[in-house]
PDB file of all heavy atoms in Angstrom:
ATOM      1  N   LYS G   1     -19.908   9.110 -12.673  1.00 93.00           N
ATOM      2  CA  LYS G   1     -20.336   8.700 -11.328  1.00 93.00           C
ATOM      3  C   LYS G   1     -19.261   7.880 -10.623  1.00 93.00           C
ATOM      4  O   LYS G   1     -19.194   7.858  -9.381  1.00 93.00           O
ATOM      5  CB  LYS G   1     -21.628   7.890 -11.454  1.00 93.00           C
ATOM      6  CG  LYS G   1     -22.176   7.334 -10.157  1.00 93.00           C
ATOM      7  CD  LYS G   1     -23.450   6.540 -10.429  1.00 93.00           C
ATOM      8  CE  LYS G   1     -23.986   5.893  -9.165  1.00 93.00           C
ATOM      9  NZ  LYS G   1     -25.213   5.092  -9.438  1.00 93.00           N
ATOM     10  N   TYR G   2     -18.403   7.210 -11.385  1.00 93.00           N
ATOM     11  CA  TYR G   2     -17.426   6.289 -10.802  1.00 93.00           C
ATOM     12  C   TYR G   2     -15.990   6.808 -10.902  1.00 93.00           C
ATOM     13  O   TYR G   2     -15.038   6.061 -10.662  1.00 93.00           O
ATOM     14  CB  TYR G   2     -17.538   4.928 -11.487  1.00 93.00           C
ATOM     15  CG  TYR G   2     -18.887   4.284 -11.278  1.00 93.00           C
ATOM     16  CD1 TYR G   2     -19.859   4.330 -12.277  1.00 93.00           C
ATOM     17  CD2 TYR G   2     -19.195   3.660 -10.077  1.00 93.00           C
ATOM     18  CE1 TYR G   2     -21.103   3.761 -12.084  1.00 93.00           C
ATOM     19  CE2 TYR G   2     -20.435   3.090  -9.866  1.00 93.00           C
ATOM     20  CZ  TYR G   2     -21.392   3.139 -10.870  1.00 93.00           C
ATOM     21  OH  TYR G   2     -22.628   2.584 -10.674  1.00 93.00           O
ATOM     22  N   ARG G   3     -15.830   8.088 -11.233  1.00 92.00           N
ATOM     23  CA  ARG G   3     -14.485   8.649 -11.296  1.00 92.00           C
ATOM     24  C   ARG G   3     -13.954   8.925  -9.886  1.00 92.00           C
ATOM     25  O   ARG G   3     -14.717   9.132  -8.950  1.00 92.00           O
ATOM     26  CB  ARG G   3     -14.492   9.931 -12.134  1.00 92.00           C
ATOM     27  CG  ARG G   3     -14.761   9.653 -13.608  1.00 92.00           C
ATOM     28  CD  ARG G   3     -14.904  10.905 -14.432  1.00 92.00           C
ATOM     29  NE  ARG G   3     -15.280  10.564 -15.815  1.00 92.00           N
ATOM     30  CZ  ARG G   3     -15.658  11.442 -16.728  1.00 92.00           C
ATOM     31  NH1 ARG G   3     -15.689  12.739 -16.424  1.00 92.00           N
ATOM     32  NH2 ARG G   3     -15.994  11.037 -17.935  1.00 92.00           N
ATOM     33  N   GLY G   4     -12.637   8.939  -9.760  1.00 89.00           N
ATOM     34  CA  GLY G   4     -12.019   9.197  -8.464  1.00 89.00           C
ATOM     35  C   GLY G   4     -12.094   8.032  -7.509  1.00 89.00           C
ATOM     36  O   GLY G   4     -11.896   8.196  -6.304  1.00 89.00           O
ATOM     37  N   GLN G   5     -12.371   6.835  -8.039  1.00 90.00           N
ATOM     38  CA  GLN G   5     -12.516   5.654  -7.181  1.00 90.00           C
ATOM     39  C   GLN G   5     -11.445   4.595  -7.456  1.00 90.00           C
ATOM     40  O   GLN G   5     -11.537   3.473  -6.977  1.00 90.00           O
ATOM     41  CB  GLN G   5     -13.916   5.057  -7.359  1.00 90.00           C
ATOM     42  CG  GLN G   5     -15.029   6.030  -6.975  1.00 90.00           C
ATOM     43  CD  GLN G   5     -16.419   5.439  -7.172  1.00 90.00           C
ATOM     44  OE1 GLN G   5     -16.568   4.238  -7.388  1.00 90.00           O
ATOM     45  NE2 GLN G   5     -17.436   6.274  -7.101  1.00 90.00           N
ATOM     46  N   GLY G   6     -10.450   4.946  -8.237  1.00 88.00           N
ATOM     47  CA  GLY G   6      -9.353   4.017  -8.481  1.00 88.00           C
ATOM     48  C   GLY G   6      -9.612   2.981  -9.548  1.00 88.00           C
ATOM     49  O   GLY G   6      -8.836   2.031  -9.697  1.00 88.00           O
ATOM     50  N   ASN G   7     -10.673   3.145 -10.337  1.00 91.00           N
ATOM     51  CA  ASN G   7     -10.997   2.129 -11.338  1.00 91.00           C
ATOM     52  C   ASN G   7      -9.963   2.073 -12.459  1.00 91.00           C
ATOM     53  O   ASN G   7      -9.602   0.991 -12.932  1.00 91.00           O
ATOM     54  CB  ASN G   7     -12.389   2.404 -11.920  1.00 91.00           C
ATOM     55  CG  ASN G   7     -13.480   2.221 -10.885  1.00 91.00           C
ATOM     56  OD1 ASN G   7     -13.452   1.260 -10.128  1.00 91.00           O
ATOM     57  ND2 ASN G   7     -14.409   3.148 -10.838  1.00 91.00           N
ATOM     58  N   MET G   8      -9.505   3.240 -12.914  1.00 89.00           N
ATOM     59  CA  MET G   8      -8.487   3.251 -13.966  1.00 89.00           C
ATOM     60  C   MET G   8      -7.179   2.636 -13.465  1.00 89.00           C
ATOM     61  O   MET G   8      -6.454   1.984 -14.218  1.00 89.00           O
ATOM     62  CB  MET G   8      -8.255   4.673 -14.471  1.00 89.00           C
ATOM     63  CG  MET G   8      -9.238   5.124 -15.540  1.00 89.00           C
ATOM     64  SD  MET G   8      -9.016   4.194 -17.073  1.00 89.00           S
ATOM     65  CE  MET G   8     -10.266   4.981 -18.106  1.00 89.00           C
ATOM     66  N   GLN G   9      -6.848   2.848 -12.206  1.00 88.00           N
ATOM     67  CA  GLN G   9      -5.652   2.222 -11.640  1.00 88.00           C
ATOM     68  C   GLN G   9      -5.792   0.700 -11.661  1.00 88.00           C
ATOM     69  O   GLN G   9      -4.875  -0.016 -12.062  1.00 88.00           O
ATOM     70  CB  GLN G   9      -5.425   2.695 -10.204  1.00 88.00           C
ATOM     71  CG  GLN G   9      -4.956   4.132 -10.090  1.00 88.00           C
ATOM     72  CD  GLN G   9      -4.628   4.511  -8.658  1.00 88.00           C
ATOM     73  OE1 GLN G   9      -4.813   3.725  -7.744  1.00 88.00           O
ATOM     74  NE2 GLN G   9      -4.149   5.721  -8.481  1.00 88.00           N
ATOM     75  N   GLU G  10      -6.948   0.224 -11.225  1.00 90.00           N
ATOM     76  CA  GLU G  10      -7.192  -1.222 -11.202  1.00 90.00           C
ATOM     77  C   GLU G  10      -7.101  -1.810 -12.601  1.00 90.00           C
ATOM     78  O   GLU G  10      -6.438  -2.827 -12.837  1.00 90.00           O
ATOM     79  CB  GLU G  10      -8.579  -1.493 -10.612  1.00 90.00           C
ATOM     80  CG  GLU G  10      -9.009  -2.946 -10.616  1.00 90.00           C
ATOM     81  CD  GLU G  10      -8.251  -3.789  -9.611  1.00 90.00           C
ATOM     82  OE1 GLU G  10      -7.700  -3.214  -8.655  1.00 90.00           O
ATOM     83  OE2 GLU G  10      -8.214  -5.024  -9.786  1.00 90.00           O
ATOM     84  N   MET G  11      -7.755  -1.165 -13.552  1.00 93.00           N
ATOM     85  CA  MET G  11      -7.737  -1.649 -14.932  1.00 93.00           C
ATOM     86  C   MET G  11      -6.347  -1.503 -15.541  1.00 93.00           C
ATOM     87  O   MET G  11      -5.909  -2.346 -16.321  1.00 93.00           O
ATOM     88  CB  MET G  11      -8.772  -0.884 -15.759  1.00 93.00           C
ATOM     89  CG  MET G  11      -8.917  -1.396 -17.182  1.00 93.00           C
ATOM     90  SD  MET G  11     -10.290  -0.606 -18.044  1.00 93.00           S
ATOM     91  CE  MET G  11      -9.756   1.112 -18.041  1.00 93.00           C
ATOM     92  N   GLY G  12      -5.644  -0.423 -15.164  1.00 90.00           N
ATOM     93  CA  GLY G  12      -4.303  -0.200 -15.668  1.00 90.00           C
ATOM     94  C   GLY G  12      -3.371  -1.337 -15.313  1.00 90.00           C
ATOM     95  O   GLY G  12      -2.612  -1.820 -16.166  1.00 90.00           O
ATOM     96  N   TYR G  13      -3.418  -1.789 -14.064  1.00 90.00           N
ATOM     97  CA  TYR G  13      -2.575  -2.914 -13.702  1.00 90.00           C
ATOM     98  C   TYR G  13      -2.960  -4.147 -14.524  1.00 90.00           C
ATOM     99  O   TYR G  13      -2.103  -4.882 -15.026  1.00 90.00           O
ATOM    100  CB  TYR G  13      -2.653  -3.260 -12.211  1.00 90.00           C
ATOM    101  CG  TYR G  13      -1.932  -4.553 -11.981  1.00 90.00           C
ATOM    102  CD1 TYR G  13      -0.542  -4.600 -12.029  1.00 90.00           C
ATOM    103  CD2 TYR G  13      -2.645  -5.745 -11.884  1.00 90.00           C
ATOM    104  CE1 TYR G  13       0.121  -5.793 -11.952  1.00 90.00           C
ATOM    105  CE2 TYR G  13      -1.982  -6.949 -11.813  1.00 90.00           C
ATOM    106  CZ  TYR G  13      -0.602  -6.968 -11.842  1.00 90.00           C
ATOM    107  OH  TYR G  13       0.058  -8.159 -11.789  1.00 90.00           O
ATOM    108  N   TYR G  14      -4.257  -4.356 -14.697  1.00 92.00           N
ATOM    109  CA  TYR G  14      -4.742  -5.538 -15.399  1.00 92.00           C
ATOM    110  C   TYR G  14      -4.239  -5.576 -16.838  1.00 92.00           C
ATOM    111  O   TYR G  14      -3.727  -6.591 -17.309  1.00 92.00           O
ATOM    112  CB  TYR G  14      -6.269  -5.561 -15.351  1.00 92.00           C
ATOM    113  CG  TYR G  14      -6.916  -6.749 -15.999  1.00 92.00           C
ATOM    114  CD1 TYR G  14      -6.570  -8.054 -15.642  1.00 92.00           C
ATOM    115  CD2 TYR G  14      -7.904  -6.581 -16.967  1.00 92.00           C
ATOM    116  CE1 TYR G  14      -7.170  -9.146 -16.225  1.00 92.00           C
ATOM    117  CE2 TYR G  14      -8.515  -7.665 -17.561  1.00 92.00           C
ATOM    118  CZ  TYR G  14      -8.144  -8.951 -17.195  1.00 92.00           C
ATOM    119  OH  TYR G  14      -8.754 -10.025 -17.784  1.00 92.00           O
ATOM    120  N   PHE G  15      -4.360  -4.450 -17.558  1.00 94.00           N
ATOM    121  CA  PHE G  15      -3.929  -4.500 -18.954  1.00 94.00           C
ATOM    122  C   PHE G  15      -2.412  -4.509 -19.091  1.00 94.00           C
ATOM    123  O   PHE G  15      -1.867  -5.119 -20.021  1.00 94.00           O
ATOM    124  CB  PHE G  15      -4.603  -3.426 -19.823  1.00 94.00           C
ATOM    125  CG  PHE G  15      -4.150  -2.005 -19.688  1.00 94.00           C
ATOM    126  CD1 PHE G  15      -2.875  -1.604 -20.044  1.00 94.00           C
ATOM    127  CD2 PHE G  15      -5.034  -1.027 -19.252  1.00 94.00           C
ATOM    128  CE1 PHE G  15      -2.473  -0.277 -19.954  1.00 94.00           C
ATOM    129  CE2 PHE G  15      -4.650   0.300 -19.158  1.00 94.00           C
ATOM    130  CZ  PHE G  15      -3.359   0.681 -19.512  1.00 94.00           C
ATOM    131  N   VAL G  16      -1.690  -3.860 -18.172  1.00 92.00           N
ATOM    132  CA  VAL G  16      -0.231  -3.929 -18.213  1.00 92.00           C
ATOM    133  C   VAL G  16       0.232  -5.377 -18.031  1.00 92.00           C
ATOM    134  O   VAL G  16       1.087  -5.877 -18.778  1.00 92.00           O
ATOM    135  CB  VAL G  16       0.386  -3.026 -17.126  1.00 92.00           C
ATOM    136  CG1 VAL G  16       1.868  -3.346 -16.932  1.00 92.00           C
ATOM    137  CG2 VAL G  16       0.223  -1.559 -17.501  1.00 92.00           C
ATOM    138  N   GLU G  17      -0.353  -6.067 -17.061  1.00 93.00           N
ATOM    139  CA  GLU G  17       0.023  -7.457 -16.799  1.00 93.00           C
ATOM    140  C   GLU G  17      -0.344  -8.358 -17.984  1.00 93.00           C
ATOM    141  O   GLU G  17       0.472  -9.156 -18.458  1.00 93.00           O
ATOM    142  CB  GLU G  17      -0.670  -7.957 -15.533  1.00 93.00           C
ATOM    143  CG  GLU G  17      -0.326  -9.399 -15.187  1.00 93.00           C
ATOM    144  CD  GLU G  17      -1.078  -9.881 -13.959  1.00 93.00           C
ATOM    145  OE1 GLU G  17      -2.304  -9.674 -13.897  1.00 93.00           O
ATOM    146  OE2 GLU G  17      -0.446 -10.485 -13.073  1.00 93.00           O
ATOM    147  N   TYR G  18      -1.568  -8.193 -18.484  1.00 95.00           N
ATOM    148  CA  TYR G  18      -2.059  -9.050 -19.566  1.00 95.00           C
ATOM    149  C   TYR G  18      -1.207  -8.891 -20.820  1.00 95.00           C
ATOM    150  O   TYR G  18      -0.732  -9.869 -21.412  1.00 95.00           O
ATOM    151  CB  TYR G  18      -3.519  -8.701 -19.865  1.00 95.00           C
ATOM    152  CG  TYR G  18      -4.136  -9.483 -21.008  1.00 95.00           C
ATOM    153  CD1 TYR G  18      -4.834 -10.657 -20.771  1.00 95.00           C
ATOM    154  CD2 TYR G  18      -4.037  -9.030 -22.330  1.00 95.00           C
ATOM    155  CE1 TYR G  18      -5.410 -11.377 -21.809  1.00 95.00           C
ATOM    156  CE2 TYR G  18      -4.613  -9.744 -23.371  1.00 95.00           C
ATOM    157  CZ  TYR G  18      -5.289 -10.915 -23.112  1.00 95.00           C
ATOM    158  OH  TYR G  18      -5.853 -11.610 -24.145  1.00 95.00           O
ATOM    159  N   LEU G  19      -0.999  -7.654 -21.260  1.00 96.00           N
ATOM    160  CA  LEU G  19      -0.280  -7.401 -22.502  1.00 96.00           C
ATOM    161  C   LEU G  19       1.204  -7.747 -22.374  1.00 96.00           C
ATOM    162  O   LEU G  19       1.818  -8.234 -23.324  1.00 96.00           O
ATOM    163  CB  LEU G  19      -0.463  -5.950 -22.929  1.00 96.00           C
ATOM    164  CG  LEU G  19      -1.911  -5.543 -23.258  1.00 96.00           C
ATOM    165  CD1 LEU G  19      -2.007  -4.041 -23.480  1.00 96.00           C
ATOM    166  CD2 LEU G  19      -2.425  -6.299 -24.482  1.00 96.00           C
ATOM    167  N   SER G  20       1.768  -7.479 -21.202  1.00 94.00           N
ATOM    168  CA  SER G  20       3.185  -7.782 -21.001  1.00 94.00           C
ATOM    169  C   SER G  20       3.434  -9.281 -21.028  1.00 94.00           C
ATOM    170  O   SER G  20       4.404  -9.753 -21.639  1.00 94.00           O
ATOM    171  CB  SER G  20       3.668  -7.198 -19.672  1.00 94.00           C
ATOM    172  OG  SER G  20       3.504  -5.800 -19.657  1.00 94.00           O
ATOM    173  N   GLN G  21       2.559 -10.043 -20.398  1.00 93.00           N
ATOM    174  CA  GLN G  21       2.738 -11.492 -20.386  1.00 93.00           C
ATOM    175  C   GLN G  21       2.593 -12.092 -21.776  1.00 93.00           C
ATOM    176  O   GLN G  21       3.255 -13.069 -22.121  1.00 93.00           O
ATOM    177  CB  GLN G  21       1.740 -12.130 -19.421  1.00 93.00           C
ATOM    178  CG  GLN G  21       2.058 -11.871 -17.962  1.00 93.00           C
ATOM    179  CD  GLN G  21       1.060 -12.512 -17.016  1.00 93.00           C
ATOM    180  OE1 GLN G  21       0.014 -13.021 -17.427  1.00 93.00           O
ATOM    181  NE2 GLN G  21       1.375 -12.489 -15.729  1.00 93.00           N
ATOM    182  N   LYS G  22       1.745 -11.489 -22.602  1.00 95.00           N
ATOM    183  CA  LYS G  22       1.540 -11.988 -23.956  1.00 95.00           C
ATOM    184  C   LYS G  22       2.498 -11.338 -24.968  1.00 95.00           C
ATOM    185  O   LYS G  22       2.404 -11.609 -26.170  1.00 95.00           O
ATOM    186  CB  LYS G  22       0.089 -11.758 -24.384  1.00 95.00           C
ATOM    187  CG  LYS G  22      -0.901 -12.621 -23.620  1.00 95.00           C
ATOM    188  CD  LYS G  22      -2.311 -12.481 -24.147  1.00 95.00           C
ATOM    189  CE  LYS G  22      -3.264 -13.428 -23.443  1.00 95.00           C
ATOM    190  NZ  LYS G  22      -2.973 -14.858 -23.724  1.00 95.00           N
ATOM    191  N   LYS G  23       3.379 -10.467 -24.461  1.00 94.00           N
ATOM    192  CA  LYS G  23       4.382  -9.798 -25.300  1.00 94.00           C
ATOM    193  C   LYS G  23       3.758  -8.995 -26.435  1.00 94.00           C
ATOM    194  O   LYS G  23       4.258  -8.975 -27.571  1.00 94.00           O
ATOM    195  CB  LYS G  23       5.395 -10.813 -25.835  1.00 94.00           C
ATOM    196  CG  LYS G  23       6.130 -11.599 -24.756  1.00 94.00           C
ATOM    197  CD  LYS G  23       7.183 -12.503 -25.354  1.00 94.00           C
ATOM    198  CE  LYS G  23       7.826 -13.411 -24.313  1.00 94.00           C
ATOM    199  NZ  LYS G  23       8.450 -12.722 -23.208  1.00 94.00           N
ATOM    200  N   ILE G  24       2.639  -8.340 -26.135  1.00 96.00           N
ATOM    201  CA  ILE G  24       1.977  -7.467 -27.096  1.00 96.00           C
ATOM    202  C   ILE G  24       2.426  -6.033 -26.822  1.00 96.00           C
ATOM    203  O   ILE G  24       2.263  -5.540 -25.704  1.00 96.00           O
ATOM    204  CB  ILE G  24       0.442  -7.559 -26.964  1.00 96.00           C
ATOM    205  CG1 ILE G  24      -0.026  -8.990 -27.210  1.00 96.00           C
ATOM    206  CG2 ILE G  24      -0.246  -6.603 -27.940  1.00 96.00           C
ATOM    207  CD1 ILE G  24      -1.512  -9.201 -26.951  1.00 96.00           C
ATOM    208  N   PRO G  25       2.997  -5.335 -27.801  1.00 97.00           N
ATOM    209  CA  PRO G  25       3.382  -3.940 -27.560  1.00 97.00           C
ATOM    210  C   PRO G  25       2.141  -3.087 -27.331  1.00 97.00           C
ATOM    211  O   PRO G  25       1.069  -3.389 -27.857  1.00 97.00           O
ATOM    212  CB  PRO G  25       4.099  -3.544 -28.857  1.00 97.00           C
ATOM    213  CG  PRO G  25       3.586  -4.487 -29.894  1.00 97.00           C
ATOM    214  CD  PRO G  25       3.281  -5.773 -29.180  1.00 97.00           C
ATOM    215  N   PHE G  26       2.296  -2.026 -26.563  1.00 97.00           N
ATOM    216  CA  PHE G  26       1.149  -1.155 -26.318  1.00 97.00           C
ATOM    217  C   PHE G  26       1.628   0.239 -25.947  1.00 97.00           C
ATOM    218  O   PHE G  26       2.728   0.432 -25.444  1.00 97.00           O
ATOM    219  CB  PHE G  26       0.237  -1.721 -25.223  1.00 97.00           C
ATOM    220  CG  PHE G  26       0.900  -1.887 -23.878  1.00 97.00           C
ATOM    221  CD1 PHE G  26       0.804  -0.895 -22.916  1.00 97.00           C
ATOM    222  CD2 PHE G  26       1.617  -3.045 -23.585  1.00 97.00           C
ATOM    223  CE1 PHE G  26       1.409  -1.047 -21.679  1.00 97.00           C
ATOM    224  CE2 PHE G  26       2.232  -3.202 -22.346  1.00 97.00           C
ATOM    225  CZ  PHE G  26       2.124  -2.202 -21.392  1.00 97.00           C
ATOM    226  N   TYR G  27       0.777   1.203 -26.198  1.00 98.00           N
ATOM    227  CA  TYR G  27       1.044   2.609 -25.910  1.00 98.00           C
ATOM    228  C   TYR G  27      -0.290   3.320 -26.007  1.00 98.00           C
ATOM    229  O   TYR G  27      -1.311   2.712 -26.387  1.00 98.00           O
ATOM    230  CB  TYR G  27       2.060   3.189 -26.912  1.00 98.00           C
ATOM    231  CG  TYR G  27       1.642   3.006 -28.354  1.00 98.00           C
ATOM    232  CD1 TYR G  27       1.012   4.027 -29.063  1.00 98.00           C
ATOM    233  CD2 TYR G  27       1.856   1.790 -29.022  1.00 98.00           C
ATOM    234  CE1 TYR G  27       0.607   3.854 -30.379  1.00 98.00           C
ATOM    235  CE2 TYR G  27       1.456   1.607 -30.335  1.00 98.00           C
ATOM    236  CZ  TYR G  27       0.830   2.636 -31.003  1.00 98.00           C
ATOM    237  OH  TYR G  27       0.416   2.467 -32.292  1.00 98.00           O
ATOM    238  N   LEU G  28      -0.346   4.580 -25.679  1.00 97.00           N
ATOM    239  CA  LEU G  28      -1.603   5.315 -25.755  1.00 97.00           C
ATOM    240  C   LEU G  28      -1.342   6.801 -25.844  1.00 97.00           C
ATOM    241  O   LEU G  28      -0.247   7.271 -25.538  1.00 97.00           O
ATOM    242  CB  LEU G  28      -2.513   4.989 -24.579  1.00 97.00           C
ATOM    243  CG  LEU G  28      -2.061   5.331 -23.151  1.00 97.00           C
ATOM    244  CD1 LEU G  28      -3.253   5.321 -22.220  1.00 97.00           C
ATOM    245  CD2 LEU G  28      -1.053   4.312 -22.628  1.00 97.00           C
ATOM    246  N   HIS G  29      -2.359   7.529 -26.281  1.00 98.00           N
ATOM    247  CA  HIS G  29      -2.238   8.987 -26.326  1.00 98.00           C
ATOM    248  C   HIS G  29      -3.341   9.597 -25.480  1.00 98.00           C
ATOM    249  O   HIS G  29      -4.407   9.010 -25.281  1.00 98.00           O
ATOM    250  CB  HIS G  29      -2.303   9.503 -27.768  1.00 98.00           C
ATOM    251  CG  HIS G  29      -3.685   9.533 -28.345  1.00 98.00           C
ATOM    252  ND1 HIS G  29      -4.230   8.500 -29.056  1.00 98.00           N
ATOM    253  CD2 HIS G  29      -4.645  10.500 -28.310  1.00 98.00           C
ATOM    254  CE1 HIS G  29      -5.456   8.802 -29.445  1.00 98.00           C
ATOM    255  NE2 HIS G  29      -5.735  10.012 -29.003  1.00 98.00           N
ATOM    256  N   VAL G  30      -3.063  10.790 -24.977  1.00 97.00           N
ATOM    257  CA  VAL G  30      -4.004  11.494 -24.110  1.00 97.00           C
ATOM    258  C   VAL G  30      -3.988  12.965 -24.495  1.00 97.00           C
ATOM    259  O   VAL G  30      -2.926  13.538 -24.752  1.00 97.00           O
ATOM    260  CB  VAL G  30      -3.624  11.346 -22.610  1.00 97.00           C
ATOM    261  CG1 VAL G  30      -4.628  12.070 -21.717  1.00 97.00           C
ATOM    262  CG2 VAL G  30      -3.534   9.873 -22.224  1.00 97.00           C
ATOM    263  N   ALA G  31      -5.154  13.583 -24.519  1.00 96.00           N
ATOM    264  CA  ALA G  31      -5.254  15.001 -24.851  1.00 96.00           C
ATOM    265  C   ALA G  31      -4.404  15.837 -23.899  1.00 96.00           C
ATOM    266  O   ALA G  31      -4.243  15.506 -22.720  1.00 96.00           O
ATOM    267  CB  ALA G  31      -6.712  15.450 -24.794  1.00 96.00           C
ATOM    268  N   GLU G  32      -3.867  16.928 -24.419  1.00 96.00           N
ATOM    269  CA  GLU G  32      -2.998  17.803 -23.631  1.00 96.00           C
ATOM    270  C   GLU G  32      -3.682  18.295 -22.359  1.00 96.00           C
ATOM    271  O   GLU G  32      -3.044  18.506 -21.322  1.00 96.00           O
ATOM    272  CB  GLU G  32      -2.579  19.012 -24.481  1.00 96.00           C
ATOM    273  CG  GLU G  32      -1.832  18.665 -25.762  1.00 96.00           C
ATOM    274  CD  GLU G  32      -0.332  18.606 -25.564  1.00 96.00           C
ATOM    275  OE1 GLU G  32       0.130  18.906 -24.441  1.00 96.00           O
ATOM    276  OE2 GLU G  32       0.367  18.266 -26.534  1.00 96.00           O
TER     277      GLU G  32
END
């Protein structure tokens, strides 16, 4: 119901900022 509304973009910035500031490495995988 909430797809296509920019929520992943919003959360993406949040986790990039949070993990980068704390110097925690991160990565992810996505189905082909």
